[in-house]
Amino acid sequence: MKVLLLNGSANQKGCTYTALEEIGRTLQTEGIGYEIFQTGARPVRDCIGCGQCTAEGCVFSDDAVNAFVQKAREADGFVFGTPVYYAHASGRILSFLDRAFYSSKDAFVHKPAAAVASARRAGTTASLDDLNKYFGISHMPVIGSSYWNMVHGNRPEEVMQDEEGLQTMRNIAHNMAWLLRCIEAGREQGILPRTESGSRTDFIR
């Protein structure tokens, strides 16, 4: 089993990465593989709802979205990490996930996921709310922890001093490993999700 962790910061080895690494190391102790995928520092397009999605993902291929989608199809679970900018998630990760989920929702359905926020001080709960909405519309079980999924610090070394935040990251990993094993055991017993589809209500005429 493998968990795909998305670093939604342009800073590849900053505070968000530090939090994700703590999760990854703990997943390894649970016998679960992990990979941290970097959104990178290049510009990320917004989704424009053009409806031109392809089998590879988004019709636009000048950034890392489609590469992420291909890895997502093989992943068993996800952690999406974001820094806090002006009390909300980074615009980079929101544009990235808008296109990934719009073009390739099937890569995420019924797979557990956690959102993680990194902040100097405030704005974390609003940022988590931003990311959790992707899970709620995609049949994805949400992984919680012993506190809200956040770390605090302005630099990686400060994050490493946030003992409760790091404990929270480790407990995300433990809970993810537990749920992945539960899903695997259920699948072996023929217990699979049941989903209805096809109904859409639009009251605007």
Side-chain angles (χ1 to χ4, degrees):
M1 288 183 283
K2 183 176 180 179
V3 177
L4 186 59
L5 295 80
L6 179 66
N7 181 8
S9 172
N11 187 349
Q12 291 197 4
K13 295 292 180 73
C15 296
T16 305
Y17 176 88
T18 302
L20 295 177
E21 265 286 272
E22 189 73 12
I23 294 172
R25 283 192 295 266
T26 308
L27 285 169
Q28 283 188 320
T29 68
E30 291 272 7
I32 307 292
Y34 80 96
E35 177 184 351
I36 296 178
F37 190 98
Q38 306 280 0
T39 58
R42 295 179 59 191
V44 178
R45 292 174 180 264
D46 290 335
C47 179
I48 59 174
C50 66
Q52 300 300 308
C53 311
T54 72
E56 286 71 38
C58 181
V59 67
F60 298 112
S61 57
D62 54 352
D63 54 32
V65 170
N66 289 347
F68 175 76
V69 165
Q70 297 311 308
K71 290 180 179 290
R73 294 190 184 282
E74 303 300 321
D76 300 291
F78 302 93
V79 181
F80 298 150
T82 183
V84 174
Y85 298 154
Y86 289 94
H88 60 74
S90 75
R92 169 175 306 280
I93 196 170
L94 296 180
S95 293
F96 199 96
L97 293 179
D98 278 357
R99 286 172 49 221
F101 275 79
Y102 188 83
S103 67
S104 307
K105 180 178 177 179
D106 60 307
F108 304 95
V109 168
H110 296 138
K111 296 179 181 179
V116 169
S118 166
R120 183 189 68 83
R121 194 165 180 86
T124 45
T125 52
S127 298
L128 293 175
D129 184 56
D130 285 341
L131 299 187
N132 282 331
K133 289 188 171 77
Y134 292 96
F135 313 152
I137 199 172
S138 303
H139 306 281
M140 301 173 77
V142 180
I143 302 294
S145 188
S146 46
Y147 193 76
W148 288 279
N149 296 358
M150 60 183 71
V151 295
H152 289 87
N154 200 40
R155 299 185 303 276
E157 54 267 31
E158 292 177 353
V159 171
M160 294 304 295
Q161 297 174 39
D162 181 6
E163 294 183 6
E164 185 175 10
L166 294 177
Q167 176 181 268
T168 301
M169 297 302 106
R170 292 191 294 271
N171 285 332
I172 290 170
H174 292 312
N175 289 336
M176 174 70 78
W178 168 74
L179 186 54
L180 286 175
R181 292 192 185 100
C182 289
I183 292 171
E184 183 180 49
R187 188 178 293 120
E188 290 172 355
Q189 295 298 315
I191 302 171
L192 301 172
R194 297 176 61 187
T195 302
E196 293 186 18
S197 62
S199 295
R200 296 189 66 175
T201 304
D202 185 354
F203 294 105
I204 300 174
R205 297 288 186 265

